[in-house]
Amino acid sequence: MPQAHDDAPVTASKTADSSRELLGQAVTINRPARDLYDFWRDFPNLALVMENIVSIEKLDDRRSHWVVRAPGGRTVEWDAAVTHDVPGREITWQSQGDADIANSGRILFEEVAGRGTVVTATIAYEPPAGAIGKMIAKVMQREPNVQARRDLRRFKQLMETGEIATAARNRRMLAEENT
């Protein structure tokens, strides 16, 4: 008997390719879930908090095109499609077509009484060049698990304070010094 096609995202699939890596990170943010969801769901906003994002272009209400810095000074690209969307609560996506890095994932926003919202990111991806690519990414501190933790920390800072703390001098600071 032929096996039925499983079109679930890798994070929920029972027949997913085991060569994919699965990572999960969570952070508690002192804001309502709907505020956090609304910021995240406007995908181009994510370039503000995700360190390796070069650009995110909204193609339509469900699809976006991502360009991301990869180890070795190159970029990788893919189109992503939202596969499940519960406003204020959850966004699930899957890369489409010929993605440079096949990926899928889920962002969950769960309010906790008196503490804000727990934001959980679960991401499955296929490392380019397999185990060797994963090792290179780790050495160059571009490994997705490390990046997810840092990106969520920046998201928390931006949502709670309106800015992301950094020791680096930004363009605005340099312009002010030169005037």
Side-chain angles (χ1 to χ4, degrees), residues 1-161:
M1 181 169 159
Q3 189 173 20
H5 174 69
D6 183 359
D7 63 353
V10 168
T11 54
S13 175
K14 294 179 181 171
T15 61
D17 180 356
S18 63
S19 68
R20 287 198 173 183
E21 296 290 324
L22 183 64
L23 65 94
Q25 294 289 331
V27 65
T28 302
I29 301 175
N30 192 18
R31 291 283 296 271
R34 187 59 194 229
D35 292 352
L36 302 174
Y37 166 90
D38 288 346
F39 180 91
W40 197 285
R41 185 62 174 86
D42 187 4
F43 298 123
N45 282 339
L46 298 178
L48 298 171
V49 295
M50 293 183 171
E51 186 175 58
N52 290 324
I53 299 294
V54 173
S55 66
I56 304 170
E57 177 187 355
K58 183 178 177 179
L59 301 174
D60 59 38
D61 191 47
R62 301 261 275 180
R63 296 177 313 118
S64 53
H65 181 77
W66 294 61
V67 180
V68 177
R69 278 185 223 60
R74 64 186 190 95
T75 58
V76 293
E77 300 185 35
W78 64 84
D79 288 344
V82 172
T83 57
H84 185 69
D85 189 358
V86 180
R89 172 108 173 105
E90 174 184 355
I91 305 165
T92 304
W93 79 90
Q94 175 77 46
S95 62
Q96 302 291 290
D98 222 6
D100 288 341
I101 297 178
N103 65 87
S104 63
R106 176 181 183 216
I107 304 296
L108 187 61
F109 305 88
E110 297 178 290
E111 285 199 27
V112 179
R115 293 190 52 219
T117 302
V118 176
V119 178
T120 305
T122 307
I123 302 166
Y125 68 99
E126 194 170 312
I132 292 171
K134 184 178 175 189
M135 183 182 70
I136 292 168
K138 189 171 251 179
V139 167
M140 299 182 88
Q141 298 216 358
R142 299 255 187 208
E143 199 267 327
N145 206 29
V146 172
Q147 285 305 130
R149 184 176 63 246
R150 290 177 180 167
D151 292 345
L152 283 176
R153 186 172 45 235
R154 280 190 295 280
F155 181 51
K156 175 182 176 72
Q157 289 176 4
L158 184 62
M159 293 296 97
E160 289 183 349
T161 69

